[in-house]
Amino acid sequence: TYEILIPEGSYFDYTEQKGWINDYRIRLNDGVNYTAERNGVLYKPFTDTTAFVIGCTDTFKGIAHIKDTIQAFSKTFVVTEIAANAFQSNTSITGIDFGDNCRLKIIGNFAFEQCTNLGGTLAIPVSITALGDACFQKTAITNVVFSKDGNLKTIGSNAFRDCPNLGGEICMPASLEST
């Protein structure tokens, strides 16, 4: 990871260039890191109005409470995605709370893969349109609930592979187009 120091007010000019978000840690010239932390969950602005979840702090333990919006850097960002590999192999996460006003659209590839203590029932929010490849592979979830009125269109390959506690009947939403 590289660190780039950019002029204040120009963050989005840089980050809108393909490849910059994941490859570089960008700081404003006032020394502020463009990452926001809320209850141990880390968020990064993606556009001037949206943000995505990039993981959690090293000291995080418990249920990840995913916010629908975050206030940071004098702006409001709608949280639309959990990034690829965001929580991968994190054994401290035990659950996910998406909240009542969830606006997530994507749970990225390998987002929670090998989170071996992530258990219980996983309720996929209505707003989700895509679950990435292996996003919940090798977790301890026991049940997955999809809303019949959901917007889910795609479930990536191996999304729930090797989940030894997963059982029961899973009813897929009518909106599903590919798995």
Side-chain angles (χ1 to χ4, degrees), residues 3 9 11 14 21 34-36 51 55 59-60 63 73 75 86 89 98 106 110 115-116 140 150-151 161 175:
E3 186 165 285
Y11 174 80
Y14 284 86
I21 287 288
Y34 240 78
T35 301
T59 58
F60 176 83
I63 297 172
F73 320 109
K75 293 185 175 200
S89 301
F98 293 109
I106 298 168
F110 308 101
C115 292
T116 54
N151 295 302
R161 183 178 179 180
S175 60

Coordinates of all heavy atoms in Angstrom, one line a residue, residues 3 9 11 14 21 34-36 51 55 59-60 63 73 75 86 89 98 106 110 115-116 140 150-151 161 175:
E3 N 1.1 5.6 0.2 CA 0.4 6.7 0.8 C 0.6 7.9 -0.1 O 1.8 8.2 -0.4 CB 0.8 6.9 2.2 CG 0.0 8.0 2.9 CD 0.1 8.0 4.4 OE1 -0.4 7.1 5.1 OE2 0.8 8.9 4.9
G9 N -9.6 19.1 -0.6 CA -10.7 19.4 -1.6 C -10.5 18.7 -2.9 O -11.4 18.8 -3.7
Y11 N -9.8 15.2 -3.1 CA -9.9 13.8 -2.9 C -10.7 13.1 -4.0 O -10.2 12.1 -4.6 CB -10.6 13.5 -1.5 CG -10.8 12.0 -1.3 CD1 -9.8 11.2 -0.9 CD2 -12.1 11.5 -1.5 CE1 -10.0 9.8 -0.7 CE2 -12.3 10.1 -1.3 CZ -11.3 9.3 -0.9 OH -11.5 8.0 -0.7
Y14 N -9.0 12.5 -7.4 CA -8.1 11.4 -7.4 C -8.8 10.0 -7.4 O -8.4 9.1 -8.1 CB -7.1 11.5 -6.3 CG -6.0 12.6 -6.5 CD1 -6.3 13.9 -6.2 CD2 -4.8 12.2 -7.1 CE1 -5.3 14.9 -6.4 CE2 -3.9 13.2 -7.3 CZ -4.1 14.5 -7.0 OH -3.2 15.5 -7.2
I21 N -8.8 3.7 -5.3 CA -9.4 3.4 -4.0 C -8.7 2.2 -3.2 O -8.4 2.3 -2.1 CB -10.9 3.1 -4.1 CG1 -11.6 4.4 -4.4 CG2 -11.5 2.4 -2.9 CD1 -11.8 5.3 -3.3
Y34 N -8.5 9.5 4.9 CA -9.9 9.5 4.4 C -10.5 8.1 4.7 O -11.0 7.4 3.8 CB -9.9 9.8 2.9 CG -10.8 11.0 2.6 CD1 -10.3 12.3 2.9 CD2 -12.0 10.8 2.1 CE1 -11.1 13.4 2.6 CE2 -12.8 11.9 1.8 CZ -12.4 13.2 2.1 OH -13.2 14.3 1.9
T35 N -10.5 7.7 5.9 CA -11.2 6.5 6.4 C -12.0 6.9 7.6 O -11.5 7.6 8.4 CB -10.2 5.4 6.7 OG1 -9.5 5.1 5.6 CG2 -10.9 4.1 7.2
A36 N -13.2 6.5 7.7 CA -14.1 6.8 8.9 C -14.3 5.5 9.7 O -14.5 4.5 9.1 CB -15.4 7.4 8.4
A51 N -20.1 5.5 0.1 CA -19.0 5.0 0.8 C -19.1 3.5 0.8 O -20.2 2.9 0.6 CB -18.9 5.5 2.2
G55 N -13.7 -3.0 6.3 CA -13.2 -3.9 7.3 C -13.5 -3.3 8.7 O -14.5 -2.6 8.9
T59 N -9.0 -4.0 17.1 CA -9.5 -4.3 18.4 C -11.0 -4.7 18.3 O -11.6 -5.0 19.4 CB -9.3 -3.1 19.4 OG1 -10.0 -2.0 18.8 CG2 -7.9 -2.8 19.6
F60 N -11.6 -4.7 17.2 CA -13.0 -5.0 17.0 C -13.3 -6.4 17.5 O -12.6 -7.4 17.1 CB -13.5 -4.8 15.6 CG -14.9 -5.2 15.4 CD1 -15.9 -4.3 15.7 CD2 -15.2 -6.5 14.9 CE1 -17.3 -4.7 15.5 CE2 -16.6 -6.9 14.8 CZ -17.6 -6.0 15.1
I63 N -20.5 -8.1 17.1 CA -21.4 -7.9 15.9 C -21.0 -6.7 15.2 O -20.9 -5.6 15.8 CB -22.9 -7.8 16.4 CG1 -23.3 -9.1 17.1 CG2 -23.8 -7.5 15.3 CD1 -24.6 -9.1 17.8
F73 N -16.1 14.0 7.3 CA -15.5 15.0 6.4 C -16.5 16.1 6.0 O -16.5 16.5 4.8 CB -14.7 14.4 5.3 CG -14.0 13.2 5.6 CD1 -14.4 11.9 5.2 CD2 -12.9 13.2 6.5 CE1 -13.8 10.8 5.6 CE2 -12.2 12.0 6.8 CZ -12.7 10.8 6.4
K75 N -19.6 15.7 5.3 CA -20.5 15.2 4.2 C -21.2 14.0 4.8 O -20.8 13.4 5.7 CB -19.7 14.8 3.0 CG -19.0 15.9 2.2 CD -18.4 15.4 0.9 CE -17.9 16.5 0.1 NZ -17.7 16.2 -1.2
A86 N -13.3 -7.5 2.8 CA -13.4 -6.6 3.9 C -13.1 -7.2 5.3 O -12.4 -6.6 6.1 CB -14.7 -5.9 3.9
S89 N -11.3 -13.7 6.9 CA -10.5 -14.4 7.9 C -10.5 -13.7 9.3 O -9.7 -14.0 10.1 CB -9.0 -14.6 7.5 OG -9.0 -15.3 6.3
F98 N -27.4 -5.3 9.8 CA -27.5 -4.4 8.7 C -28.4 -3.2 9.0 O -28.5 -2.3 8.2 CB -28.1 -5.1 7.5 CG -27.1 -6.1 6.9 CD1 -27.3 -7.5 7.1 CD2 -25.9 -5.8 6.3 CE1 -26.5 -8.4 6.6 CE2 -25.0 -6.7 5.8 CZ -25.3 -8.0 5.9
I106 N -24.2 -4.3 -2.6 CA -23.3 -5.4 -2.9 C -22.5 -5.8 -1.7 O -22.1 -5.0 -0.9 CB -22.2 -4.9 -4.0 CG1 -22.9 -4.5 -5.3 CG2 -21.2 -5.9 -4.2 CD1 -22.0 -3.7 -6.3
F110 N -15.5 -12.6 -1.2 CA -14.7 -13.0 0.0 C -14.9 -12.1 1.1 O -14.1 -12.1 2.1 CB -13.2 -13.2 -0.4 CG -13.0 -14.0 -1.6 CD1 -12.7 -13.5 -2.8 CD2 -13.0 -15.4 -1.5 CE1 -12.5 -14.3 -3.9 CE2 -12.8 -16.2 -2.6 CZ -12.5 -15.7 -3.8
C115 N -14.6 -16.2 8.2 CA -15.0 -15.6 9.5 C -15.6 -16.7 10.3 O -16.9 -16.8 10.4 CB -15.9 -14.4 9.3 SG -15.1 -13.0 8.5
T116 N -14.8 -17.6 10.8 CA -15.3 -18.8 11.4 C -16.2 -18.7 12.6 O -16.9 -19.6 13.0 CB -14.1 -19.7 11.8 OG1 -13.2 -19.0 12.6 CG2 -13.4 -20.2 10.5
A140 N -19.9 -19.8 10.2 CA -20.7 -20.6 11.1 C -22.1 -20.3 11.0 O -22.9 -20.6 11.9 CB -20.1 -20.5 12.5
G150 N -37.2 -8.9 -2.1 CA -35.9 -8.4 -2.2 C -35.5 -8.0 -3.7 O -36.2 -8.4 -4.6
N151 N -34.3 -7.4 -3.8 CA -33.8 -7.0 -5.1 C -32.6 -7.9 -5.6 O -31.9 -7.5 -6.5 CB -33.4 -5.6 -5.1 CG -34.6 -4.7 -4.9 OD1 -35.5 -4.7 -5.6 ND2 -34.6 -3.9 -3.8
R161 N -20.5 -21.9 0.5 CA -19.8 -23.1 0.6 C -19.1 -23.4 1.9 O -18.5 -22.5 2.5 CB -18.7 -23.2 -0.6 CG -18.0 -24.5 -0.7 CD -17.1 -24.5 -1.8 NE -16.4 -25.8 -1.9 CZ -15.5 -26.1 -2.7 NH1 -15.1 -25.2 -3.7 NH2 -14.9 -27.3 -2.7
S175 N -36.6 -12.3 -7.5 CA -35.7 -11.4 -8.3 C -34.4 -12.0 -8.8 O -33.8 -11.5 -9.7 CB -35.4 -10.2 -7.5 OG -34.7 -10.6 -6.3

